[in-house]
Amino acid sequence: SSTSNFVAGELSAPERSCRSVSNMLTKMSSVPRSSEHCSSFSELLNSKVSQVMDHDKAFLQGKAIDLGVVPKDGAVCGAVVAVCKWEGHWREEWCGLYERTITFYPPLTNAACFELSLADIQSFRLLDIESERINPLPGLPILVLETAWQCHYLA
């Protein structure tokens, strides 16, 4: 039987593929949407995207326990949400609304990764996306929590 032996810093085949697609998407981000190159690339990408898998159907479903999260007690309510970490990168987290904070827990942890004070939120709104084609998570509404220094995007 053959086993994969990796040298330190070497990427596995799936990671190399992911990095290649990420690089292509980064380069395409500077091409105007009206360009024929953009539509050709979109068609190519759409033709290569795999079918919906079982784990895709579970995205944003369930409760804290389904993500392996043990949140602190006292949440008024909570839900599994997608949190935008940076452009194009979203992570599924459990979000709890507490008396004074909105607290986010990454999967498989009992420690919050981020707490947003309700007093710091200056406004919240649904993101006005004119087209589902440019929605980073098609079919899901995007909520924007605005603070003095940063906007936080949730789906």
Side-chain angles (χ1 to χ4, degrees):
S1 83
S2 67
T3 59
S4 297
N5 294 320
F6 293 105
V7 177
E10 183 178 332
L11 297 175
S12 66
E15 290 169 328
R16 283 193 308 268
S17 295
C18 184
R19 174 111 9 125
S20 295
V21 170
S22 178
N23 287 336
M24 287 188 292
L25 291 172
T26 299
K27 289 176 184 172
M28 289 303 296
S29 68
S30 62
V31 175
R33 292 194 187 276
S34 58
S35 166
E36 72 177 60
H37 297 292
C38 186
S39 59
S40 297
F41 180 75
S42 292
E43 289 172 18
L44 174 65
L45 186 60
N46 286 336
S47 72
K48 300 298 178 188
V49 173
S50 65
Q51 298 297 317
V52 174
M53 306 297 278
D54 287 339
H55 62 273
D56 294 328
K57 294 175 186 171
F59 186 61
L60 300 183
Q61 301 297 314
K63 299 181 177 165
I65 196 161
D66 298 315
L67 284 182
V69 170
V70 182
K72 66 181 180 180
D73 291 334
V76 175
C77 65
V80 176
V81 299
V83 178
C84 183
K85 294 302 185 180
W86 59 84
E87 186 177 349
H89 182 81
W90 294 74
R91 181 169 70 183
E92 192 173 46
E93 296 181 358
W94 187 82
C95 173
L97 175 62
Y98 292 86
E99 186 177 326
R100 294 192 172 119
T101 64
I102 297 176
T103 306
F104 298 91
Y105 290 81
L108 305 173
T109 186
N110 60 358
C113 64
F114 181 67
E115 283 192 352
L116 181 60
S117 170
L118 295 177
D120 290 340
I121 299 173
Q122 295 182 341
S123 71
F124 60 93
R125 61 185 167 82
L126 281 175
L127 187 61
D128 185 21
I129 300 175
E130 67 274 3
S131 167
E132 278 294 309
R133 284 186 45 155
I134 63 170
N135 186 338
L137 298 171
L140 297 175
I142 307 295
L143 177 67
V144 182
L145 301 176
E146 296 180 9
T147 65
W149 304 106
Q150 190 173 10
C151 290
H152 304 275
Y153 297 88
L154 311 174

